[in-house]
Amino acid sequence: MFSKFLGLEPKRRNAILNAALREFASKGFDDASTNVIAKEAGISKPLMFHYINNKKDFFLFLYDYCLDILNREYFDQIDVREKDIFERLRQTCLLKIQVMQKYPWIFDFIKIAVLTDSDVIKDELKKRRKMVETSSFERFYGDIDTSYFRSELDIEKAKQLIFWAVSGYAGQIVDKLRSSDISELNFEKIRTEFDGYLNELRKTYYK
Amino acid sequence: MFSKFLGLEPKRRNAILNAALREFASKGFDDASTNVIAKEAGISKPLMFHYINNKKDFFLFLYDYCLDILNREYFDQIDVREKDIFERLRQTCLLKIQVMQKYPWIFDFIKIAVLTDSDVIKDELKKRRKMVETSSFERFYGDIDTSYFRSELDIEKAKQLIFWAVSGYAGQIVDKLRSSDISELNFEKIRTEFDGYLNELRKTYYK
DNA sequence: ACATTATTTACCTAATAGGTCAATAATAAT
DNA sequence: ATTATTATTGACCTATTAGGTAAATAATGT
């Protein structure tokens, strides 16, 4: 059905893709404008409609397509054998940044797709809803090794607090990713800064 | 200029106020709809325009008005003599929840007003911009007593991590505040849960 | 030179935007 | 009870934008 879109050269396909993800993610389905998407993708509206059929189908297609991308490039890449929470966080966060360099709005798009209550797409989404984690917390950090934790701690609370702390840092990075040009961001510097925070957390939570 | 609005009985005034804050905060100035605001406030559009003059002036009025509210009911209430970071966080967060029970969107509105780049209001906002903190971090947590911290810690990183962790918890509460009816929320339970997390943090970061 | 594909200009109808006018409903004053 | 006044709304204005398409043009391959 979306073979025309899929058959495009990657550069244009990704231009349309990212323009759409951004518009949908930041405005929601109903308020998103196909005019804006076309303009930001750098093509005319009729040409875009030549590729995408209509707004609704396009959104639903994007949902499936993005879940595939995320499964391939994110979820499947996570090494579940790593049981150290800080190593796991390091891995998942860096991976996430990597994915977001290619698709800056993909996570927000999925989040909005899951949480939306737009009448037009609600039912369709309900049908095809594979098990997508809303919190991303239990799925990722349910099976870590807690034996390193300082004994006087409440493990569940500690895990939650660590997760929130790291999310705070990640949120800051994401803001930077979006405001500055992605290419000119110093990835190496981010990594060492991030490791600094992770070490600090390790010092406080581990024996 | 907005004497008509200010002279309203508090119930209606707050209905319009909160409807407007919500619409502006969640859509931004340009995309916010006066139709939606009037409908959600429970009055007709002409009546609303009878009170508010026009969209632009209304937004700018709201900006000043909300800063006043925040100064009176939030910033001025913070006990700056309290130098313990966890006590300070406890205080500010509970205060914030209290303010948000009255005006659920006031913080988001100010944030959007500060960050917006709408051509219509940008210049006007620049003129009247009193020093509003963007990060809220330095202003609140610059002068706390760090002597309780475990000696091997990097103080600045630790403060930042604590702040992020607490923000994570606060964000969760705010989501609940918005989804459920505010009145039916168990404030007492939140307080004890919050204290639980603060204690956990104290255990990990203090000697 | 022709057939085909890629792309845009110009347009459609319906909805919504900010905003107002003139009429109605409610209240207060006589 | 009647009038004067205030509070409130239905109907409407013009401009813009929404999603979407038909037909013409530009580019490409044969």
Side-chain angles (χ1 to χ4, degrees):
Chain A
M1 194 178 189
F2 274 80
S3 46
K4 260 179 273 175
F5 179 78
L6 291 167
L8 284 172
E9 43 168 359
K11 199 177 163 187
R12 172 166 286 181
R13 191 179 58 223
N14 283 332
I16 300 173
L17 182 67
N18 282 322
L21 292 184
R22 171 170 171 181
E23 179 71 2
F24 281 129
S26 52
K27 305 257 187 80
F29 178 79
D30 290 331
D31 291 345
S33 157
T34 54
N35 292 9
V36 171
I37 296 173
K39 186 169 289 178
E40 200 175 336
I43 59 175
S44 67
K45 189 166 59 159
L47 183 54
M48 194 179 74
F49 271 93
H50 174 66
Y51 299 137
I52 71 159
N53 199 21
N54 64 51
K55 187 183 177 183
K56 180 184 167 185
D57 291 349
F58 186 39
F59 187 96
L60 294 171
F61 163 80
L62 284 177
Y63 180 74
D64 295 334
Y65 190 62
C66 287
L67 277 188
D68 277 0
I69 292 177
L70 283 183
N71 279 327
R72 271 203 324 278
E73 303 192 20
Y74 185 60
F75 296 110
D76 292 351
Q77 300 297 321
I78 292 168
D79 178 10
V80 290
R81 290 165 308 176
E82 178 59 73
K83 303 298 186 192
D84 180 290
I85 191 172
F86 298 110
E87 276 309 315
R88 183 74 76 81
L89 278 167
R90 190 184 128 90
Q91 203 194 106
T92 51
C93 281
L94 294 179
L95 196 54
K96 193 169 181 174
I97 291 176
Q98 230 169 287
V99 174
M100 287 185 68
Q101 286 184 298
K102 242 164 119 182
Y103 313 104
W105 297 90
I106 193 168
F107 290 97
D108 300 71
F109 172 78
I110 290 295
K111 195 173 168 188
I112 260 224
V114 170
L115 297 177
T116 190
D117 54 352
S118 162
D119 293 330
V120 186
I121 47 170
K122 203 169 43 174
D123 295 345
E124 284 284 347
L125 281 175
K126 212 174 281 171
K127 276 185 217 159
R128 66 182 67 195
R129 186 158 301 163
K130 303 143 192 173
M131 204 204 62
V132 185
E133 79 325 359
T134 316
S135 72
S136 84
F137 182 73
E138 263 312 309
R139 176 157 170 199
F140 279 167
Y141 309 108
D143 66 332
I144 57 145
D145 183 357
T146 57
S147 64
Y148 304 118
F149 279 81
R150 285 164 55 191
S151 51
E152 71 268 32
L153 297 182
D154 177 327
I155 300 287
E156 282 313 308
K157 280 206 179 69
K159 275 163 67 179
Q160 189 62 257
L161 286 167
I162 290 168
F163 179 73
W164 281 328
V166 170
S167 299
Y169 178 73
Q172 208 185 246
I173 297 303
V174 166
D175 285 346
K176 268 188 208 155
L177 256 172
R178 296 238 176 83
S179 61
S180 69
D181 246 334
I182 274 175
S183 49
E184 73 191 29
L185 209 70
N186 191 338
F187 194 64
E188 213 44 59
K189 200 178 150 200
I190 288 175
R191 183 145 46 197
T192 59
E193 191 187 37
F194 185 37
D195 282 340
Y197 279 112
L198 283 178
N199 263 326
E200 206 63 22
L201 284 171
R202 208 178 262 116
K203 272 198 284 184
T204 52
Y205 285 91
Y206 275 6
K207 293 167 188 165
Chain B
M1 193 177 188
F2 273 80
S3 47
K4 259 178 272 176
F5 179 78
L6 291 166
L8 285 172
E9 44 168 358
K11 198 178 163 186
R12 171 166 289 181
R13 191 180 55 223
N14 283 331
I16 300 174
L17 182 68
N18 283 320
L21 292 184
R22 172 171 170 182
E23 179 70 2
F24 282 127
S26 52
K27 305 257 188 80
F29 178 79
D30 290 333
D31 291 345
S33 157
T34 53
N35 292 5
V36 171
I37 296 174
K39 187 171 286 177
E40 199 175 335
I43 60 176
S44 67
K45 188 164 60 158
L47 183 54
M48 195 179 73
F49 271 93
H50 174 66
Y51 300 137
I52 70 160
N53 197 23
N54 64 51
K55 188 183 177 184
K56 179 184 166 185
D57 291 350
F58 187 38
F59 187 96
L60 294 172
F61 163 80
L62 284 177
Y63 180 74
D64 295 334
Y65 190 63
C66 287
L67 278 189
D68 277 359
I69 291 176
L70 285 183
N71 279 328
R72 269 203 325 278
E73 303 192 20
Y74 185 59
F75 296 110
D76 291 351
Q77 299 297 320
I78 292 167
D79 179 10
V80 290
R81 290 164 309 176
E82 179 58 72
K83 304 297 187 191
D84 181 288
I85 191 172
F86 298 108
E87 277 308 314
R88 182 74 77 79
L89 279 166
R90 191 184 127 91
Q91 205 193 104
T92 51
C93 282
L94 294 179
L95 197 54
K96 193 169 181 173
I97 292 176
Q98 230 170 286
V99 174
M100 288 186 67
Q101 286 185 297
K102 242 165 121 181
Y103 313 104
W105 297 90
I106 192 167
F107 290 97
D108 301 71
F109 171 79
I110 290 295
K111 196 174 166 186
I112 260 223
V114 170
L115 297 178
T116 190
D117 55 352
S118 163
D119 293 329
V120 186
I121 47 170
K122 201 169 45 173
D123 294 345
E124 284 284 347
L125 281 175
K126 212 173 281 172
K127 278 186 216 159
R128 66 183 68 199
R129 188 158 298 162
K130 304 143 192 171
M131 205 205 61
V132 184
E133 81 319 2
T134 318
S135 71
S136 85
F137 183 73
E138 264 311 308
R139 176 156 171 198
F140 280 167
Y141 309 110
D143 66 331
I144 57 144
D145 183 358
T146 58
S147 64
Y148 303 119
F149 279 81
R150 284 165 55 192
S151 50
E152 71 269 32
L153 297 183
D154 176 329
I155 301 288
E156 282 312 308
K157 280 206 179 70
K159 275 162 69 179
Q160 189 63 258
L161 286 166
I162 290 168
F163 179 74
W164 281 329
V166 169
S167 298
Y169 177 74
Q172 208 184 249
I173 297 303
V174 166
D175 285 347
K176 267 189 209 154
L177 257 172
R178 296 239 176 83
S179 62
S180 68
D181 246 333
I182 274 175
S183 49
E184 73 191 28
L185 208 69
N186 190 337
F187 194 64
E188 211 45 58
K189 202 178 148 200
I190 288 175
R191 182 145 46 195
T192 60
E193 191 186 36
F194 185 35
D195 283 338
Y197 280 111
L198 284 179
N199 263 325
E200 206 63 20
L201 285 171
R202 207 178 263 115
K203 270 198 286 183
T204 51
Y205 285 90
Y206 275 7
K207 294 168 186 163

